[in-house]
Amino acid sequence: MRHLPPPAEELALLDHELARLDARRLQLLNRRAWLLSVLRAPAAPAPPPAPAVRPYVPAAPFAPVAPPAPARGTQNVLLVLGGLLLTVAAVAFTLFSWGEMGIAGRSAVLAVVTAGALVAPALLLARRLPSTAEALAVLALVLTVLDAVALHAVAAPESDGLVFSAVASAVLAAVWTLYGLLLGRLRVPLPAAVVAGQLPLVLTAWAAGASATGFGWALLVTAAADVAVVSWGRGLAVRVTAAVGAGVTGLFALLIGLGLSVSAGGALAAVGPGALLLAGAGVALAGAWRAPKEWAVTAGAVAGLASVAAVGGVLRTGLPWEWAVVVYLLCGLALLPVPRLGVPRPVGRGVLGASAAVTAGALVWALPLVAAAVLGPVSVPADVWSGAPEGFRGALGQSVPSGSAASPVVLAVVAGLAAALHVRWPGSLPEKGWRVAAAAGAVVLGWGAVLALLAVADVPYAAAVGVELLMVAGLLALAVRRGPDGVAQAAQVCGLVGAVSVGLLSLAAEPATYAVFGVLLVLFAGAAVRSASAVVRPVLAVGSVLCAIVVASAAGASLGWGAPQSAPVVLVVPAVTVLLGTRLRGTAVAVEAAGAFGALVAVALAVTDAPFLALVLGLSGVLASATALRPERRRAAGYPAAALFVAAAWVRLAASGVSAPEAYTLPVSVAAFAVGCLRSRRDPAVSSWAAYGPALSMTMVPSLVVAWTDGGWLRPLLLGAAALAVTLAGARLRLQAPLVLGGTVLALVGLHELAPHVVQVLDALPRWAPPALAGLLLLAVGATYEQRLRDARRVRESLGRMR
């Protein structure tokens, strides 16, 4: 019969055979590679192949050796250092050694050196040495600047330095441009010419003593030339340099025009700066037309802002500043049709961004008045029912900013624009939720415009309260009718904020308080019933409960009761929420939580009067117990109910002057003991510490603390008797917690009672007696140590077997 090895042994054999085959295959492949190398290069002496299993890589003896790559980084560093040293030498020669030579020698030296430096790059480029040519070209440019300085010092020392600098910078820009065009492979001359071109017009304006407008025009013409270079220049370095120059000079020109336009006192004075700003807008627009996408958006935004500043600066003259904001806002909104005029899309987006920036600035200016109208009534609660003011501004106090008459117009205009965008969103812009955002913005801004108008017009107090209530009703109706979108959320937020504002506003007069909070209660309750949103409904339900709490608190104050006497009236609202909690489904948790807040308000009102506080705590415990009757609320309301009952009893005892701790702890212990007994019957395996430990500790520990400081005999006697009974019951029923707690308390009480007598005995004994007794005790324990150890183990095992 054929022998079949076990699977493990067979697997090992297979692995060994496969490894041997892999090694043999690799050896054959190495041999094959060596043979191929021998056939391809027969003249080369072939080394014998390595017998090892390692892969063999054949050498190519006749392969050409590649020359090492030139160290471009090192070469550039050397060239830069050499050019820098030559430049420093030329500057030192010009500044310090100039006076040692005559005029002919000086001129000849500089002319020869400059000419050589200008010609050398061409020769080096012909020999294919571009890096060296670049370094010498930089030296040549520096030498031309030194030539200009020397020419002014020698040929025209009496001429104006600013005029000569302007002419020299223009000549240098032209020379460097021609030089860069002739030697097109050089990268430095053309960007240097662009840098030099930033100076002639500015220096000319400075030399001519031009005004701020003249400086602005000089900078703007320079920026226009830079934009032309950016659009039609050759080379990335040239275009980037010109773009930076255009940005710097154009920005300074626009800032000069803006400052002059804002500070102009009349229309004629604003025309010049306006023309400068419009020309700057044209330059920016021309540069944006052929710029990349990101730069086109930025240039379009700059053009739009400059146009708004130019036109608005002329139209706003003669108007107060608050109405000038409206003029600028209208000019900014006039930019909205620009994207439809055939401009490139990025430019159109930049112009729209400028319009949005102007609109945002106008809103920032107008929002403080809205904030004052909303937050102004916060100061009213300090003077509750002190009397209704005559006008709306009187209720807002000193929070209304001055010079804000145009704020309602700004808010209304922007709200109308947002509504128009919602109705007809431009097709050139991506919608993607922006249409809904526009509608939400229209709701918020319209509500703010009405509040601002009430504050500006200083309408009567009653009219302001009525209008705000109507707005709250409209906003809540809109939030209920709309689906769960941005418009509904914006309406809900505005409605809640408006409700808080008008509620605080109504606290100035008693009738207004009842009217406003009554109406708000009905509005919130009705909106909660009609709303189909699972998110909006609980918020509205909580608002109705809070309004009911305010009405109940006001009822107690109207009856002439103090805060503690009004607390039971406030508890009517939590009682109603407990009843509603059994009927409601989606908002039950929110309503009951608001009712619990009402109970906290009642407790806070009664905290200064102990008897009323005990009554309120007891009634709150009753409400919590009624809530705990429902199975789903048992755990959440059961423990608070017990705590409220205990707190009510303790407050009542404290109000009656009871100081014995047993009066506070014994009822709680009895209740906890009853709960522990029920739990032990339901679950016999439960630990005695969990069932009876809290009940026993609640009374015995405080009584023990008081007994140690009490000089009487009754409390230690009763506590000791109770501890003895608990200890015996624990031993009889084999319960660990009663045995340990009772025995510990009994021992401590006995120690407290025997301590004076022990002290007397120790005082009567001689000084050597206590150490002798202690030594004898230690000897006895040591002699019977093993027996005592076994006894301790038996006690520990016996305790461990108890529950």
PDB file of all heavy atoms in Angstrom, residues 720-756:
ATOM      1  N   GLY A 720     -27.439  54.166  70.490  1.00  0.00           N
ATOM      2  CA  GLY A 720     -26.809  52.884  70.772  1.00  0.00           C
ATOM      3  C   GLY A 720     -27.792  51.733  70.742  1.00  0.00           C
ATOM      4  O   GLY A 720     -27.484  50.655  70.222  1.00  0.00           O
ATOM      5  N   ALA A 721     -29.009  51.962  71.309  1.00  0.00           N
ATOM      6  CA  ALA A 721     -30.013  50.900  71.281  1.00  0.00           C
ATOM      7  C   ALA A 721     -30.421  50.591  69.837  1.00  0.00           C
ATOM      8  O   ALA A 721     -30.553  49.415  69.452  1.00  0.00           O
ATOM      9  CB  ALA A 721     -31.235  51.326  72.110  1.00  0.00           C
ATOM     10  N   ALA A 722     -30.607  51.634  69.012  1.00  0.00           N
ATOM     11  CA  ALA A 722     -30.967  51.401  67.617  1.00  0.00           C
ATOM     12  C   ALA A 722     -29.843  50.691  66.870  1.00  0.00           C
ATOM     13  O   ALA A 722     -30.080  49.768  66.071  1.00  0.00           O
ATOM     14  CB  ALA A 722     -31.292  52.723  66.938  1.00  0.00           C
ATOM     15  N   ALA A 723     -28.585  51.082  67.126  1.00  0.00           N
ATOM     16  CA  ALA A 723     -27.463  50.412  66.464  1.00  0.00           C
ATOM     17  C   ALA A 723     -27.350  48.958  66.887  1.00  0.00           C
ATOM     18  O   ALA A 723     -27.041  48.075  66.080  1.00  0.00           O
ATOM     19  CB  ALA A 723     -26.168  51.162  66.780  1.00  0.00           C
ATOM     20  N   LEU A 724     -27.640  48.655  68.199  1.00  0.00           N
ATOM     21  CA  LEU A 724     -27.612  47.270  68.667  1.00  0.00           C
ATOM     22  C   LEU A 724     -28.694  46.442  67.975  1.00  0.00           C
ATOM     23  O   LEU A 724     -28.440  45.302  67.542  1.00  0.00           O
ATOM     24  CB  LEU A 724     -27.797  47.241  70.184  1.00  0.00           C
ATOM     25  CG  LEU A 724     -27.831  45.848  70.840  1.00  0.00           C
ATOM     26  CD1 LEU A 724     -26.517  45.108  70.580  1.00  0.00           C
ATOM     27  CD2 LEU A 724     -28.102  45.982  72.341  1.00  0.00           C
ATOM     28  N   ALA A 725     -29.886  47.038  67.835  1.00  0.00           N
ATOM     29  CA  ALA A 725     -30.971  46.307  67.170  1.00  0.00           C
ATOM     30  C   ALA A 725     -30.631  46.052  65.706  1.00  0.00           C
ATOM     31  O   ALA A 725     -30.875  44.953  65.180  1.00  0.00           O
ATOM     32  CB  ALA A 725     -32.275  47.105  67.296  1.00  0.00           C
ATOM     33  N   VAL A 726     -30.048  47.039  65.054  1.00  0.00           N
ATOM     34  CA  VAL A 726     -29.670  46.856  63.651  1.00  0.00           C
ATOM     35  C   VAL A 726     -28.587  45.798  63.518  1.00  0.00           C
ATOM     36  O   VAL A 726     -28.607  44.957  62.601  1.00  0.00           O
ATOM     37  CB  VAL A 726     -29.216  48.206  63.059  1.00  0.00           C
ATOM     38  CG1 VAL A 726     -28.581  48.004  61.698  1.00  0.00           C
ATOM     39  CG2 VAL A 726     -30.387  49.161  62.949  1.00  0.00           C
ATOM     40  N   THR A 727     -27.629  45.808  64.432  1.00  0.00           N
ATOM     41  CA  THR A 727     -26.558  44.814  64.381  1.00  0.00           C
ATOM     42  C   THR A 727     -27.100  43.403  64.571  1.00  0.00           C
ATOM     43  O   THR A 727     -26.733  42.464  63.839  1.00  0.00           O
ATOM     44  CB  THR A 727     -25.516  45.131  65.453  1.00  0.00           C
ATOM     45  OG1 THR A 727     -25.042  46.472  65.271  1.00  0.00           O
ATOM     46  CG2 THR A 727     -24.339  44.162  65.367  1.00  0.00           C
ATOM     47  N   LEU A 728     -27.966  43.225  65.567  1.00  0.00           N
ATOM     48  CA  LEU A 728     -28.542  41.907  65.798  1.00  0.00           C
ATOM     49  C   LEU A 728     -29.401  41.451  64.605  1.00  0.00           C
ATOM     50  O   LEU A 728     -29.357  40.282  64.221  1.00  0.00           O
ATOM     51  CB  LEU A 728     -29.378  41.926  67.079  1.00  0.00           C
ATOM     52  CG  LEU A 728     -28.579  42.155  68.371  1.00  0.00           C
ATOM     53  CD1 LEU A 728     -29.526  42.253  69.569  1.00  0.00           C
ATOM     54  CD2 LEU A 728     -27.551  41.056  68.584  1.00  0.00           C
ATOM     55  N   ALA A 729     -30.159  42.391  64.022  1.00  0.00           N
ATOM     56  CA  ALA A 729     -30.976  42.028  62.864  1.00  0.00           C
ATOM     57  C   ALA A 729     -30.090  41.619  61.688  1.00  0.00           C
ATOM     58  O   ALA A 729     -30.389  40.660  60.965  1.00  0.00           O
ATOM     59  CB  ALA A 729     -31.877  43.199  62.473  1.00  0.00           C
ATOM     60  N   GLY A 730     -28.980  42.342  61.489  1.00  0.00           N
ATOM     61  CA  GLY A 730     -28.079  41.960  60.423  1.00  0.00           C
ATOM     62  C   GLY A 730     -27.441  40.613  60.634  1.00  0.00           C
ATOM     63  O   GLY A 730     -27.291  39.821  59.688  1.00  0.00           O
ATOM     64  N   ALA A 731     -27.077  40.294  61.918  1.00  0.00           N
ATOM     65  CA  ALA A 731     -26.507  38.974  62.198  1.00  0.00           C
ATOM     66  C   ALA A 731     -27.544  37.876  62.042  1.00  0.00           C
ATOM     67  O   ALA A 731     -27.233  36.783  61.558  1.00  0.00           O
ATOM     68  CB  ALA A 731     -25.925  38.966  63.606  1.00  0.00           C
ATOM     69  N   ARG A 732     -28.782  38.182  62.453  1.00  0.00           N
ATOM     70  CA  ARG A 732     -29.826  37.153  62.374  1.00  0.00           C
ATOM     71  C   ARG A 732     -30.216  36.875  60.932  1.00  0.00           C
ATOM     72  O   ARG A 732     -30.408  35.708  60.545  1.00  0.00           O
ATOM     73  CB  ARG A 732     -31.054  37.634  63.164  1.00  0.00           C
ATOM     74  CG  ARG A 732     -32.263  36.720  63.074  1.00  0.00           C
ATOM     75  CD  ARG A 732     -32.000  35.415  63.822  1.00  0.00           C
ATOM     76  NE  ARG A 732     -33.150  34.540  63.783  1.00  0.00           N
ATOM     77  CZ  ARG A 732     -33.469  33.733  62.763  1.00  0.00           C
ATOM     78  NH1 ARG A 732     -32.676  33.680  61.688  1.00  0.00           N
ATOM     79  NH2 ARG A 732     -34.537  32.946  62.817  1.00  0.00           N
ATOM     80  N   LEU A 733     -30.335  37.925  60.119  1.00  0.00           N
ATOM     81  CA  LEU A 733     -30.777  37.765  58.731  1.00  0.00           C
ATOM     82  C   LEU A 733     -29.607  37.605  57.758  1.00  0.00           C
ATOM     83  O   LEU A 733     -29.840  37.525  56.553  1.00  0.00           O
ATOM     84  CB  LEU A 733     -31.611  38.983  58.305  1.00  0.00           C
ATOM     85  CG  LEU A 733     -32.884  39.229  59.129  1.00  0.00           C
ATOM     86  CD1 LEU A 733     -33.550  40.524  58.689  1.00  0.00           C
ATOM     87  CD2 LEU A 733     -33.853  38.064  58.992  1.00  0.00           C
ATOM     88  N   ARG A 734     -28.367  37.592  58.321  1.00  0.00           N
ATOM     89  CA  ARG A 734     -27.173  37.442  57.493  1.00  0.00           C
ATOM     90  C   ARG A 734     -27.100  38.516  56.407  1.00  0.00           C
ATOM     91  O   ARG A 734     -26.934  38.245  55.223  1.00  0.00           O
ATOM     92  CB  ARG A 734     -27.116  36.039  56.872  1.00  0.00           C
ATOM     93  CG  ARG A 734     -27.133  34.915  57.889  1.00  0.00           C
ATOM     94  CD  ARG A 734     -26.970  33.563  57.221  1.00  0.00           C
ATOM     95  NE  ARG A 734     -25.693  33.462  56.529  1.00  0.00           N
ATOM     96  CZ  ARG A 734     -24.509  33.181  57.133  1.00  0.00           C
ATOM     97  NH1 ARG A 734     -24.475  33.002  58.440  1.00  0.00           N
ATOM     98  NH2 ARG A 734     -23.405  33.092  56.417  1.00  0.00           N
ATOM     99  N   LEU A 735     -27.252  39.779  56.860  1.00  0.00           N
ATOM    100  CA  LEU A 735     -27.165  40.942  55.968  1.00  0.00           C
ATOM    101  C   LEU A 735     -25.910  41.730  56.341  1.00  0.00           C
ATOM    102  O   LEU A 735     -25.733  42.129  57.494  1.00  0.00           O
ATOM    103  CB  LEU A 735     -28.412  41.821  56.084  1.00  0.00           C
ATOM    104  CG  LEU A 735     -29.731  41.168  55.665  1.00  0.00           C
ATOM    105  CD1 LEU A 735     -30.890  42.122  55.930  1.00  0.00           C
ATOM    106  CD2 LEU A 735     -29.691  40.767  54.203  1.00  0.00           C
ATOM    107  N   GLN A 736     -25.077  41.986  55.376  1.00  0.00           N
ATOM    108  CA  GLN A 736     -23.777  42.599  55.626  1.00  0.00           C
ATOM    109  C   GLN A 736     -23.900  44.055  56.014  1.00  0.00           C
ATOM    110  O   GLN A 736     -23.231  44.523  56.954  1.00  0.00           O
ATOM    111  CB  GLN A 736     -22.901  42.446  54.378  1.00  0.00           C
ATOM    112  CG  GLN A 736     -21.454  42.844  54.582  1.00  0.00           C
ATOM    113  CD  GLN A 736     -20.624  42.640  53.332  1.00  0.00           C
ATOM    114  OE1 GLN A 736     -20.194  43.602  52.721  1.00  0.00           O
ATOM    115  NE2 GLN A 736     -20.441  41.393  52.930  1.00  0.00           N
ATOM    116  N   ALA A 737     -24.708  44.835  55.298  1.00  0.00           N
ATOM    117  CA  ALA A 737     -24.794  46.275  55.545  1.00  0.00           C
ATOM    118  C   ALA A 737     -25.310  46.598  56.948  1.00  0.00           C
ATOM    119  O   ALA A 737     -24.695  47.397  57.672  1.00  0.00           O
ATOM    120  CB  ALA A 737     -25.672  46.932  54.483  1.00  0.00           C
ATOM    121  N   PRO A 738     -26.440  46.024  57.395  1.00  0.00           N
ATOM    122  CA  PRO A 738     -26.870  46.311  58.776  1.00  0.00           C
ATOM    123  C   PRO A 738     -25.853  45.878  59.819  1.00  0.00           C
ATOM    124  O   PRO A 738     -25.636  46.575  60.817  1.00  0.00           O
ATOM    125  CB  PRO A 738     -28.181  45.539  58.902  1.00  0.00           C
ATOM    126  CG  PRO A 738     -28.665  45.366  57.523  1.00  0.00           C
ATOM    127  CD  PRO A 738     -27.428  45.207  56.692  1.00  0.00           C
ATOM    128  N   LEU A 739     -25.208  44.737  59.604  1.00  0.00           N
ATOM    129  CA  LEU A 739     -24.240  44.265  60.588  1.00  0.00           C
ATOM    130  C   LEU A 739     -23.049  45.207  60.694  1.00  0.00           C
ATOM    131  O   LEU A 739     -22.627  45.580  61.800  1.00  0.00           O
ATOM    132  CB  LEU A 739     -23.772  42.867  60.182  1.00  0.00           C
ATOM    133  CG  LEU A 739     -22.736  42.207  61.094  1.00  0.00           C
ATOM    134  CD1 LEU A 739     -23.283  42.032  62.509  1.00  0.00           C
ATOM    135  CD2 LEU A 739     -22.299  40.862  60.529  1.00  0.00           C
ATOM    136  N   VAL A 740     -22.485  45.613  59.558  1.00  0.00           N
ATOM    137  CA  VAL A 740     -21.301  46.470  59.575  1.00  0.00           C
ATOM    138  C   VAL A 740     -21.646  47.873  60.064  1.00  0.00           C
ATOM    139  O   VAL A 740     -20.966  48.437  60.933  1.00  0.00           O
ATOM    140  CB  VAL A 740     -20.666  46.513  58.177  1.00  0.00           C
ATOM    141  CG1 VAL A 740     -19.525  47.513  58.146  1.00  0.00           C
ATOM    142  CG2 VAL A 740     -20.169  45.133  57.787  1.00  0.00           C
ATOM    143  N   LEU A 741     -22.716  48.461  59.523  1.00  0.00           N
ATOM    144  CA  LEU A 741     -23.077  49.825  59.928  1.00  0.00           C
ATOM    145  C   LEU A 741     -23.494  49.870  61.391  1.00  0.00           C
ATOM    146  O   LEU A 741     -23.075  50.755  62.157  1.00  0.00           O
ATOM    147  CB  LEU A 741     -24.196  50.348  59.027  1.00  0.00           C
ATOM    148  CG  LEU A 741     -23.807  50.706  57.590  1.00  0.00           C
ATOM    149  CD1 LEU A 741     -25.045  51.094  56.782  1.00  0.00           C
ATOM    150  CD2 LEU A 741     -22.818  51.847  57.580  1.00  0.00           C
ATOM    151  N   GLY A 742     -24.366  48.926  61.789  1.00  0.00           N
ATOM    152  CA  GLY A 742     -24.806  48.923  63.187  1.00  0.00           C
ATOM    153  C   GLY A 742     -23.668  48.683  64.150  1.00  0.00           C
ATOM    154  O   GLY A 742     -23.548  49.358  65.181  1.00  0.00           O
ATOM    155  N   GLY A 743     -22.800  47.722  63.816  1.00  0.00           N
ATOM    156  CA  GLY A 743     -21.672  47.452  64.713  1.00  0.00           C
ATOM    157  C   GLY A 743     -20.727  48.631  64.793  1.00  0.00           C
ATOM    158  O   GLY A 743     -20.224  48.954  65.877  1.00  0.00           O
ATOM    159  N   THR A 744     -20.448  49.282  63.684  1.00  0.00           N
ATOM    160  CA  THR A 744     -19.551  50.443  63.692  1.00  0.00           C
ATOM    161  C   THR A 744     -20.129  51.584  64.534  1.00  0.00           C
ATOM    162  O   THR A 744     -19.429  52.190  65.361  1.00  0.00           O
ATOM    163  CB  THR A 744     -19.299  50.918  62.256  1.00  0.00           C
ATOM    164  OG1 THR A 744     -18.785  49.838  61.487  1.00  0.00           O
ATOM    165  CG2 THR A 744     -18.329  52.075  62.229  1.00  0.00           C
ATOM    166  N   VAL A 745     -21.392  51.891  64.316  1.00  0.00           N
ATOM    167  CA  VAL A 745     -22.022  52.975  65.087  1.00  0.00           C
ATOM    168  C   VAL A 745     -22.056  52.612  66.568  1.00  0.00           C
ATOM    169  O   VAL A 745     -21.807  53.452  67.447  1.00  0.00           O
ATOM    170  CB  VAL A 745     -23.430  53.255  64.533  1.00  0.00           C
ATOM    171  CG1 VAL A 745     -24.174  54.236  65.437  1.00  0.00           C
ATOM    172  CG2 VAL A 745     -23.329  53.815  63.131  1.00  0.00           C
ATOM    173  N   LEU A 746     -22.393  51.335  66.891  1.00  0.00           N
ATOM    174  CA  LEU A 746     -22.436  50.919  68.286  1.00  0.00           C
ATOM    175  C   LEU A 746     -21.068  51.047  68.939  1.00  0.00           C
ATOM    176  O   LEU A 746     -20.944  51.526  70.083  1.00  0.00           O
ATOM    177  CB  LEU A 746     -22.936  49.473  68.360  1.00  0.00           C
ATOM    178  CG  LEU A 746     -23.102  48.871  69.763  1.00  0.00           C
ATOM    179  CD1 LEU A 746     -24.111  49.675  70.579  1.00  0.00           C
ATOM    180  CD2 LEU A 746     -23.529  47.423  69.668  1.00  0.00           C
ATOM    181  N   ALA A 747     -20.016  50.662  68.234  1.00  0.00           N
ATOM    182  CA  ALA A 747     -18.673  50.774  68.794  1.00  0.00           C
ATOM    183  C   ALA A 747     -18.284  52.232  69.015  1.00  0.00           C
ATOM    184  O   ALA A 747     -17.693  52.573  70.051  1.00  0.00           O
ATOM    185  CB  ALA A 747     -17.678  50.088  67.854  1.00  0.00           C
ATOM    186  N   LEU A 748     -18.598  53.091  68.054  1.00  0.00           N
ATOM    187  CA  LEU A 748     -18.240  54.508  68.200  1.00  0.00           C
ATOM    188  C   LEU A 748     -19.024  55.163  69.333  1.00  0.00           C
ATOM    189  O   LEU A 748     -18.483  56.010  70.060  1.00  0.00           O
ATOM    190  CB  LEU A 748     -18.475  55.235  66.874  1.00  0.00           C
ATOM    191  CG  LEU A 748     -17.517  54.841  65.736  1.00  0.00           C
ATOM    192  CD1 LEU A 748     -17.919  55.537  64.445  1.00  0.00           C
ATOM    193  CD2 LEU A 748     -16.083  55.187  66.105  1.00  0.00           C
ATOM    194  N   VAL A 749     -20.301  54.783  69.485  1.00  0.00           N
ATOM    195  CA  VAL A 749     -21.085  55.345  70.605  1.00  0.00           C
ATOM    196  C   VAL A 749     -20.527  54.867  71.929  1.00  0.00           C
ATOM    197  O   VAL A 749     -20.386  55.640  72.901  1.00  0.00           O
ATOM    198  CB  VAL A 749     -22.572  54.952  70.448  1.00  0.00           C
ATOM    199  CG1 VAL A 749     -23.353  55.311  71.704  1.00  0.00           C
ATOM    200  CG2 VAL A 749     -23.167  55.656  69.237  1.00  0.00           C
ATOM    201  N   GLY A 750     -20.187  53.562  71.980  1.00  0.00           N
ATOM    202  CA  GLY A 750     -19.594  53.054  73.231  1.00  0.00           C
ATOM    203  C   GLY A 750     -18.274  53.724  73.531  1.00  0.00           C
ATOM    204  O   GLY A 750     -17.982  54.054  74.684  1.00  0.00           O
ATOM    205  N   LEU A 751     -17.451  53.925  72.523  1.00  0.00           N
ATOM    206  CA  LEU A 751     -16.184  54.614  72.736  1.00  0.00           C
ATOM    207  C   LEU A 751     -16.400  56.030  73.236  1.00  0.00           C
ATOM    208  O   LEU A 751     -15.676  56.511  74.121  1.00  0.00           O
ATOM    209  CB  LEU A 751     -15.400  54.615  71.423  1.00  0.00           C
ATOM    210  CG  LEU A 751     -14.041  55.326  71.456  1.00  0.00           C
ATOM    211  CD1 LEU A 751     -13.106  54.639  72.438  1.00  0.00           C
ATOM    212  CD2 LEU A 751     -13.413  55.347  70.070  1.00  0.00           C
ATOM    213  N   HIS A 752     -17.424  56.712  72.667  1.00  0.00           N
ATOM    214  CA  HIS A 752     -17.704  58.068  73.127  1.00  0.00           C
ATOM    215  C   HIS A 752     -18.126  58.097  74.590  1.00  0.00           C
ATOM    216  O   HIS A 752     -17.737  58.998  75.360  1.00  0.00           O
ATOM    217  CB  HIS A 752     -18.805  58.682  72.241  1.00  0.00           C
ATOM    218  CG  HIS A 752     -19.263  60.030  72.709  1.00  0.00           C
ATOM    219  ND1 HIS A 752     -20.370  60.203  73.526  1.00  0.00           N
ATOM    220  CD2 HIS A 752     -18.750  61.283  72.502  1.00  0.00           C
ATOM    221  CE1 HIS A 752     -20.542  61.482  73.779  1.00  0.00           C
ATOM    222  NE2 HIS A 752     -19.569  62.163  73.159  1.00  0.00           N
ATOM    223  N   GLU A 753     -18.926  57.090  75.001  1.00  0.00           N
ATOM    224  CA  GLU A 753     -19.404  57.077  76.386  1.00  0.00           C
ATOM    225  C   GLU A 753     -18.329  56.645  77.378  1.00  0.00           C
ATOM    226  O   GLU A 753     -18.293  57.105  78.510  1.00  0.00           O
ATOM    227  CB  GLU A 753     -20.614  56.137  76.487  1.00  0.00           C
ATOM    228  CG  GLU A 753     -21.814  56.605  75.705  1.00  0.00           C
ATOM    229  CD  GLU A 753     -22.280  57.980  76.138  1.00  0.00           C
ATOM    230  OE1 GLU A 753     -22.333  58.242  77.359  1.00  0.00           O
ATOM    231  OE2 GLU A 753     -22.576  58.826  75.254  1.00  0.00           O
ATOM    232  N   LEU A 754     -17.432  55.740  76.956  1.00  0.00           N
ATOM    233  CA  LEU A 754     -16.399  55.252  77.859  1.00  0.00           C
ATOM    234  C   LEU A 754     -15.152  56.127  77.863  1.00  0.00           C
ATOM    235  O   LEU A 754     -14.271  55.915  78.706  1.00  0.00           O
ATOM    236  CB  LEU A 754     -16.010  53.826  77.462  1.00  0.00           C
ATOM    237  CG  LEU A 754     -17.089  52.753  77.663  1.00  0.00           C
ATOM    238  CD1 LEU A 754     -16.594  51.414  77.168  1.00  0.00           C
ATOM    239  CD2 LEU A 754     -17.492  52.643  79.135  1.00  0.00           C
ATOM    240  N   ALA A 755     -15.025  57.027  76.929  1.00  0.00           N
ATOM    241  CA  ALA A 755     -13.806  57.827  76.825  1.00  0.00           C
ATOM    242  C   ALA A 755     -13.491  58.602  78.098  1.00  0.00           C
ATOM    243  O   ALA A 755     -12.336  58.586  78.568  1.00  0.00           O
ATOM    244  CB  ALA A 755     -13.912  58.765  75.631  1.00  0.00           C
ATOM    245  N   PRO A 756     -14.447  59.292  78.734  1.00  0.00           N
ATOM    246  CA  PRO A 756     -14.089  60.021  79.977  1.00  0.00           C
ATOM    247  C   PRO A 756     -13.574  59.103  81.078  1.00  0.00           C
ATOM    248  O   PRO A 756     -12.609  59.431  81.769  1.00  0.00           O
ATOM    249  CB  PRO A 756     -15.398  60.711  80.359  1.00  0.00           C
ATOM    250  CG  PRO A 756     -16.180  60.789  79.095  1.00  0.00           C
ATOM    251  CD  PRO A 756     -15.834  59.539  78.358  1.00  0.00           C
TER     252      PRO A 756
END
